[in-house]
Amino acid sequence: MKFAEHLGAHITPEWRKQYIQYELMKEMLYEAQEESPSVEEKISEANRKYASLKAELETYTEHAHKPSTMSLRRRRPSGVALLFKDKEKKGMAHTRKLHDLKLAFSEFYLSLILLQNYQTLNFTGFRKILKKHDKSSVTSDLEGGNRQKAMKRLRVPPLGDEQNPWTTFRVGLFSGIFVVLALVVLIAAFFTDHSKDWQPALIMYRGMFLVILDIFLLGINTYGWRSSGVNHLATFLASLWAISVLLYLFSPFLMIPTFVFPLSLAGFLMLYLINPFPFRIFTAPFHHVGFADFWLADQLNSLVTVLLDFEYMVCFYAFEVDWLGNTGEPVCTKSIYGIRAIVSCLPAWFRFAQCLRRYRDTKLKFPHLVNAGKYSTSFLTALFSTLYSVQKELYGDSNRQNHAFFYLWIIASVIGSCYTLTWDLKMDWGILDKDFVLRFVWTLTVSVGEGKLFHGEALKTLLASLEVFRRFVWNFFRLENEHLNNCGQFRAVRDISIAPIDSNDQSQLEDMMDDEDGAYTRMSERRKLLGNNTKFEPHVYRLLWPNEKALKKLNKKDKSWLDEDQKEKIPWKFKGV
């Protein structure tokens, strides 16, 4: 439903005059858009002007460097004199031609600056009007006229603020603690005996480690996007994880049940991280899908191993654990019950449902239905992998790498990997590259893992870590592509800058908009805008610096280049640059 229809259906009749005049404002916007100069026309005009000037300059350069074929032999003295006069005239003509070309390029560059500033000032004007509306509405309606509280509610720290020293200290402190504890864990693993229960502990600690690793890499993503605020939370959680592993290793010496420590750490992470719970991910088909919804669901697609490990943890503490250290019959890793297959399909299902919902809202088959097809390949991969695992559990290793479901699993994995790789590189990232290594690391599971050349759980730990790293790289490209191309169509306005606006420039633009007489920058600021090495003809400096004193400094001795007719045509106070 369009917003105009939604507004008309839910309006309160007694307050009709107080509601926003949406249709009237939309008509005003359309009228202003029709009356405004076309950006495409201006760009085309600029391109044509530049091409014409470039062609003229190339013609002049070619003619100037062309060697003379005229011979001075067999010429009379009078002919020699005429020849020198002719060359002198041609030289003066060439000089004037070069001067005119420089002048034309200077004027062209100036027109581009004017066009750029026209766009910047208009955009800043719209933004400032909306900002003042927010200030007035929040001050009067939400804070009861208290301007100080309203400004506190609306104030957002600039993106370019300096790093908090306390944050830097915590990052260094927890990083150092984690490095030391990790080394202690590796050393202690060789001097403690956990041959009977190391595999369940590996599975449970692996899931929590991958969550912490993902948070740490998301912190690096945020640092890259905002250029401040490295995530110290991840280093703190990593230190807790290492401490918990150490307590598990030395639990026999502490006379504490072995599996108390993984459960305690998992409970802490659940309470600390999943707050609030992301209900919108699980209810995807029943509401509108935003950028944050799909982005978080994509993160879960790289954390399938984490979900399986947490499912194993719940099953382990419900059916297998013996608090004295001896585990019961292993049933939690079996695929015959189908629970692990369902859990592994959940992230793909969330994105599949979101794509269907977006198709329902937009009626666009491409890209939403095609994207849904990408995630549906994960269902086939999980199905054939589960059926193959069930065959091994029922009939032993006699069917290992020698069953129809094994080959169907490989085929489904190849199709899914090629599908997702193409989509990631072409659609999500906006590029087409040859780097596909991390999309095909599952082949190590089929070859090395199924061939028993390496322990299966240890190999899965390595590959899951690589998948989290792949998602970390994906985050940079995906968000940048969304900013540049609006590829997901999650916003109506495409003019969003990736780089943060400098706070000084923002304040300057706002001051310029508050000036009733318009605005033009000071001479030093314009030199910074145009470059210190930029040189113009004198009449172009007149446009850029309307101050006559500044103009006199450029050429105190000679003003012969400017005649009286030109003086009348030049605006002495040009505003808007």
Side-chain angles (χ1 to χ4, degrees), residues 374-414:
K374 179 188 73 173
Y375 291 102
S376 65
T377 59
S378 300
F379 304 149
L380 295 177
T381 304
L383 174 63
F384 293 129
S385 175
T386 302
L387 292 176
Y388 171 64
S389 299
V390 170
Q391 290 295 321
K392 291 192 299 180
E393 294 170 3
L394 293 177
Y395 303 105
D397 290 341
S398 60
N399 289 327
R400 181 179 292 272
Q401 294 184 324
N402 190 23
H403 195 276
F405 290 136
F406 175 74
Y407 298 107
L408 290 174
W409 174 29
I410 295 177
I411 294 174
S413 299
V414 171

Side-chain angles (χ1 to χ4, degrees), residues 196 203 279 369:
K196 295 181 180 180
I203 296 175
F279 285 104
L369 290 185

Side-chain angles (χ1 to χ4, degrees), residues 163-177 232 235:
Q163 176 81 2
N164 188 349
W166 178 238
T167 301
T168 306
F169 171 76
R170 284 181 291 183
V171 171
L173 175 65
F174 292 131
S175 298
I177 292 175
H232 60 273
T235 55

Side-chain angles (χ1 to χ4, degrees), residues 71 115 199 212-213 289 316 341 381 400 408 475 490 498 547:
S71 175
L115 184 61
Q199 186 168 333
I212 297 171
L213 177 63
V289 179
F316 177 82
T381 304
R400 181 179 292 272
L408 290 174
N475 288 334
F490 286 102
I498 293 178
N547 190 339

Side-chain angles (χ1 to χ4, degrees), residues 284-519:
F286 306 108
H287 56 75
H288 172 73
V289 179
F291 182 82
D293 301 326
F294 109 85
W295 185 84
L296 183 57
D298 265 329
Q299 304 304 308
L300 291 179
N301 276 271
S302 293
L303 299 176
V304 174
T305 303
V306 174
L307 298 179
L308 290 175
D309 289 346
F310 276 103
E311 180 272 337
Y312 174 84
M313 178 177 291
V314 173
C315 176
F316 177 82
Y317 283 102
F319 299 104
E320 293 186 10
V321 68
D322 187 341
W323 294 108
L324 298 178
N326 298 319
T327 59
E329 181 183 357
V331 296
C332 296
T333 56
K334 292 185 178 181
S335 302
I336 194 171
Y337 304 106
I339 298 177
R340 295 181 64 82
I342 295 174
V343 172
S344 65
C345 289
L346 284 179
W349 161 253
F350 296 150
R351 286 294 290 122
F352 180 80
Q354 288 177 348
C355 292
L356 295 182
R357 174 67 191 202
R358 295 213 66 198
Y359 168 70
R360 177 185 179 276
D361 294 339
T362 62
K363 307 301 181 184
L364 297 175
K365 295 181 180 180
F366 184 85
H368 304 309
L369 290 185
V370 180
N371 199 15
K374 179 188 73 173
Y375 291 102
S376 65
T377 59
S378 300
F379 304 149
L380 295 177
T381 304
L383 174 63
F384 293 129
S385 175
T386 302
L387 292 176
Y388 171 64
S389 299
V390 170
Q391 290 295 321
K392 291 192 299 180
E393 294 170 3
L394 293 177
Y395 303 105
D397 290 341
S398 60
N399 289 327
R400 181 179 292 272
Q401 294 184 324
N402 190 23
H403 195 276
F405 290 136
F406 175 74
Y407 298 107
L408 290 174
W409 174 29
I410 295 177
I411 294 174
S413 299
V414 171
I415 295 174
S417 297
C418 294
Y419 201 152
T420 53
L421 174 69
T422 303
W423 187 273
D424 284 347
L425 298 180
K426 186 62 179 177
M427 298 298 297
D428 286 345
W429 295 3
I431 60 175
L432 192 59
D433 204 342
K434 297 180 179 180
D435 185 10
F436 57 90
V437 176
L438 294 180
R439 271 296 185 185
F440 286 88
V441 293
W442 58 266
T443 55
L444 297 177
T445 303
V446 175
S447 57
V448 178
E450 290 300 320
K452 292 187 174 182
L453 302 177
F454 198 78
H455 193 278
E457 294 300 334
L459 179 63
K460 186 180 295 185
T461 302
L462 175 61
L463 299 186
S465 302
L466 291 176
E467 172 61 22
V468 172
F469 178 78
R470 187 197 66 81
R471 182 61 62 179
F472 156 72
V473 177
W474 179 91
N475 288 334
F476 278 120
F477 287 101
R478 181 63 180 87
L479 192 63
E480 181 180 1
N481 193 32
E482 183 66 31
H483 269 279
L484 293 176
N485 302 320
N486 194 23
C487 57
Q489 299 178 355
F490 286 102
R491 67 177 190 271
V493 180
R494 296 185 60 178
D495 190 11
I496 297 181
S497 175
I498 293 178
I501 300 176
D502 187 79
S503 57
N504 296 328
D505 295 340
Q506 183 175 351
S507 302
Q508 180 183 354
L509 287 175
E510 291 179 356
D511 294 339
M512 291 165 64
M513 294 305 301
D514 288 334
D515 190 355
E516 296 180 357
D517 297 330

Side-chain angles (χ1 to χ4, degrees), residues 523 542 545-556 559 572:
M523 187 171 183
R542 170 68 70 188
W545 291 285
N547 190 339
E548 189 173 2
K549 293 182 179 179
L551 184 63
K552 290 179 179 179
K553 292 181 180 180
L554 297 175
N555 197 343
K556 294 182 179 179
K559 284 191 178 181
W572 289 88

Side-chain angles (χ1 to χ4, degrees), residues 526-545:
R526 294 181 195 208
R527 287 192 181 276
K528 181 179 179 181
L529 175 66
L530 303 176
N532 295 328
N533 298 325
T534 305
K535 296 182 179 179
F536 294 105
E537 294 299 322
H539 84 284
V540 181
Y541 279 107
R542 170 68 70 188
L543 291 176
L544 293 175
W545 291 285

